[in-house]
Amino acid sequence: MMKKQQIRKPPSYDPFTLLTNDYVRIILTYLNVFDLVRSARVCRRWREIIEKDPLMFEHANLENIDSSKPLFPILKIFSRDKTIISMKLPPHATQTDTAYMFMQLPQSIQYLKFTNINMEFSKIFTRKFPNFKSLTLVNTKNRKKPFDEIEMKSFLTLKSAQELHFYSLPWEDSFISIFSEFNLQVLCIYDCPYLTNDSLYLISKHCKLLQKLLVGGSEQVYNAQISKSGFQIDLMNLKSLEIRYCSRIGDQSLDIIANSFPTLTEFALVRNNFEKCAKISDQAFKNMQDLQLQRLSIIYTRKLRDQAHINIAKFHQLRYLCLRNCPLQYDVSIWNENCPLLEELDVSGDSWVSQSFVLGIAQHQNLKIFWLGHFEHGDLDCDTKLQQYPPEGLFLESIFKKETSFPKLHTLHLEHDCNLTYWLYARISKLRPKLFFR
């Protein structure tokens, strides 16, 4: 009889034993908080590495934890002596969970983000943190009740914060009055169609040190309250202003903004094509020429004509320019000499980028990141253009064949919903193998 062949089992050992504690610690830092807690139960060595390293939970991101997972066992780990700089709570965190976590937080905490604000914050904010810098509140559970007076006073326990970020809050202007107790440098109020010109005046009154301001409505519900007169306010330290989805902001508004905030170095105006808005034309850039802008973003306008690129060329300090969803038909070679610091250009989306535009910007000596939108067609004409022969992408291919074109470019973003993208990627990647594509 033949003897049964013995199957040798591979030796059972922990490959991590070949690594020092320092290397294991580096690997474990890539795990989120929930996985770290589970990993601490694998073996004694891992538990000691995780629990004894004060920096292991330095950035505690709980946002993506499954709602079926109980939070309390995870939050208990913060009762130990940890160095936590930032924490993001998940949408399913209850008031009890949040209150317990807040009581256990170390004095090192600097950044907090709540994605569920359906709770009484007067029962949450009961401690002061001397190093606290930034608070973010996101109304994912659609809270409709504004903060009452007791809740507003409880926010003062975090008055050392320099940044406040609010998303879709049930807004009342009375909330702005507590800002005078903060030394705010950044205030971002997203998705708030109820802000008015009076709101902006109160912000300027209570936030004299403000350096960055973001206001506006949402893509679904525009703000129709804020107008040009709302920006006739005194914020002399303001360096960055972003206006999102405000239908009454146009050329005249940008003229007032340029006169009111002479220290601006960053400006962004975000709109879409589904709402009727005040006109943004070539004149808008001319109105802002006295500003030393380093970052300029105008998203969606169909009124740019033959003077827009000439007026933009007056921004000699420009490093970032975004003209997403703005048709661009003219030769912009004037930017090569007049905007020599330009490093990133975004003309993505339905920008209908022309051959003359690409030919001009290809000679820029400092451009490093280029976002290319639909080339020589609109977003509804992709199928038709792809069937043409020879394809229009041959022109772009010929541009990248020249070594003098885009000499410092290292990242090329191609339009994700354009049928020409895959053809361009196949051709250009062979010509520029070191080029990074997104």
Side-chain angles (χ1 to χ4, degrees):
M1 293 179 64
M2 296 181 61
K3 294 182 179 180
K4 291 184 179 180
Q5 187 177 1
Q6 293 182 352
I7 301 176
R8 292 186 178 181
K9 295 182 180 180
S12 58
Y13 67 92
D14 181 7
F16 278 83
T17 58
L18 303 177
L19 301 176
T20 64
N21 285 355
D22 290 335
Y23 284 113
V24 175
R25 185 180 294 109
I26 292 172
I27 294 172
L28 292 175
T29 55
Y30 285 91
L31 300 179
N32 60 38
V33 174
F34 181 75
D35 290 333
L36 275 175
V37 174
R38 295 180 65 185
S39 299
R41 301 174 182 174
V42 171
C43 63
R44 182 178 299 175
R45 183 191 180 203
W46 285 22
R47 180 177 179 178
E48 291 178 353
I49 291 175
I50 292 173
E51 294 190 356
K52 290 184 178 180
D53 185 355
L55 300 178
M56 188 63 70
F57 295 92
E58 190 175 25
H59 300 285
N61 186 0
L62 307 176
E63 274 189 301
N64 299 322
I65 289 182
D66 191 345
S67 59
S68 63
K69 308 293 184 184
L71 276 179
F72 193 75
I74 300 174
L75 294 174
K76 279 183 68 176
I77 201 166
F78 300 124
S79 62
R80 303 180 180 90
D81 186 20
K82 302 293 179 186
T83 300
I84 303 176
I85 294 178
S86 66
M87 173 172 282
K88 299 177 181 179
L89 288 173
H92 64 282
T94 65
Q95 180 169 309
T96 303
D97 293 332
T98 307
Y100 177 82
M101 176 276 302
F102 206 78
M103 290 301 296
Q104 306 302 328
L105 281 177
Q107 293 292 300
S108 59
I109 192 70
Q110 297 181 18
Y111 305 90
L112 271 176
K113 181 178 181 180
F114 296 84
T115 47
N116 176 18
I117 62 171
N118 275 331
M119 55 186 72
E120 294 290 334
F121 280 98
S122 58
K123 298 179 180 179
I124 304 297
F125 296 148
T126 55
R127 295 175 59 204
K128 295 182 179 181
F129 299 96
N131 301 316
F132 194 75
K133 293 182 179 179
S134 177
L135 174 66
T136 300
L137 301 180
V138 185
N139 191 13
T140 56
K141 298 294 184 178
N142 196 24
R143 170 176 171 157
K144 296 182 179 179
K145 175 189 173 185
F147 298 121
D148 58 33
E149 186 176 354
I150 298 176
E151 280 186 292
M152 286 191 288
K153 288 183 179 179
S154 69
F155 280 91
L156 296 179
T157 59
L158 304 176
K159 65 180 183 180
S160 62
Q162 299 175 0
E163 299 184 13
L164 295 177
H165 302 262
F166 302 134
Y167 292 79
S168 306
L169 291 195
W171 190 262
E172 284 190 354
D173 282 352
S174 57
F175 188 45
I176 301 175
S177 61
I178 70 166
F179 295 167
S180 59
E181 300 290 334
F182 294 74
N183 292 320
L184 279 185
Q185 296 183 13
V186 177
L187 177 61
C188 299
I189 307 174
Y190 298 85
D191 304 343
C192 189
Y194 311 110
L195 284 176
T196 64
N197 291 338
D198 291 337
S199 306
L200 295 179
Y201 169 74
L202 290 173
I203 289 173
S204 68
K205 179 180 178 181
H206 295 287
C207 307
K208 293 293 186 181
L209 301 178
L210 207 61
Q211 296 184 18
K212 179 178 180 180
L213 175 63
L214 185 153
V215 295
S218 67
E219 195 169 3
Q220 292 75 30
V221 183
Y222 264 59
N223 183 304
Q225 308 297 322
I226 296 177
S227 64
K228 59 183 180 181
S229 59
F231 292 99
Q232 293 176 326
I233 53 179
D234 181 16
L235 284 173
M236 297 307 295
N237 295 313
L238 197 67
K239 296 180 180 179
S240 176
L241 175 62
E242 182 170 344
I243 305 171
R244 301 172 64 89
Y245 307 113
C246 293
S247 58
R248 298 175 64 184
I249 301 300
D251 288 346
Q252 294 181 0
S253 303
L254 300 196
D255 188 21
I256 291 175
I257 287 171
N259 292 325
S260 299
F261 313 125
T263 56
L264 270 187
T265 59
E266 300 179 6
F267 178 76
L269 179 65
V270 181
R271 312 172 341 152
N272 64 23
N273 58 336
F274 302 112
E275 189 80 14
K276 291 184 178 179
C277 299
K279 182 176 69 172
I280 294 291
S281 66
D282 301 3
Q283 185 65 31
F285 303 109
K286 187 175 182 180
N287 293 342
M288 305 183 78
Q289 284 178 4
D290 292 336
L291 298 176
Q292 300 298 312
L293 290 179
Q294 297 179 16
R295 297 178 64 88
L296 174 61
S297 178
I298 303 290
I299 297 180
Y300 193 83
T301 178
R302 293 310 206 210
K303 302 297 183 180
L304 299 187
R305 297 296 183 262
D306 59 344
Q307 294 299 307
H309 65 291
I310 297 175
N311 293 336
I312 291 173
K314 303 294 178 63
F315 299 113
H316 303 304
Q317 304 299 319
L318 204 61
R319 294 179 179 273
Y320 170 83
L321 175 62
C322 175
L323 296 173
R324 192 183 311 157
N325 293 319
C326 303
L328 302 162
Q329 305 290 322
Y330 301 98
D331 180 5
V332 294
S333 56
I334 189 176
W335 294 354
N336 304 337
E337 182 178 349
N338 290 274
C339 303
L341 303 178
L342 187 63
E343 295 181 343
E344 183 172 355
L345 175 62
D346 185 350
V347 291
S348 59
D350 192 15
S351 297
W352 205 296
V353 182
S354 69
Q355 293 185 6
S356 57
F357 181 92
V358 176
L359 196 61
I361 199 62
Q363 306 307 314
H364 200 286
Q365 298 300 303
N366 199 47
L367 193 67
K368 298 174 182 176
I369 304 173
F370 185 34
W371 301 63
L372 178 63
H374 294 283
F375 178 68
E376 285 288 357
H377 66 277
D379 58 355
L380 300 178
D381 302 323
C382 284
D383 292 335
T384 303
K385 293 296 180 180
L386 188 64
Q387 295 171 5
Q388 287 184 357
Y389 189 84
E392 290 179 342
L394 285 176
F395 174 81
L396 289 173
E397 183 184 14
S398 66
I399 292 290
F400 280 92
K401 282 182 178 179
K402 301 176 182 178
E403 294 183 359
T404 56
S405 298
F406 298 110
K408 290 190 177 180
L409 192 70
H410 61 67
T411 303
L412 177 61
H413 294 256
L414 297 174
E415 191 64 26
H416 68 279
D417 60 351
C418 179
N419 292 338
L420 195 60
T421 291
Y422 303 103
W423 189 94
L424 289 174
Y425 170 73
R427 296 298 186 99
I428 298 176
S429 60
K430 292 181 180 179
L431 298 172
R432 301 283 181 98
K434 294 184 180 181
L435 192 63
F436 183 64
F437 289 86
R438 295 292 296 271

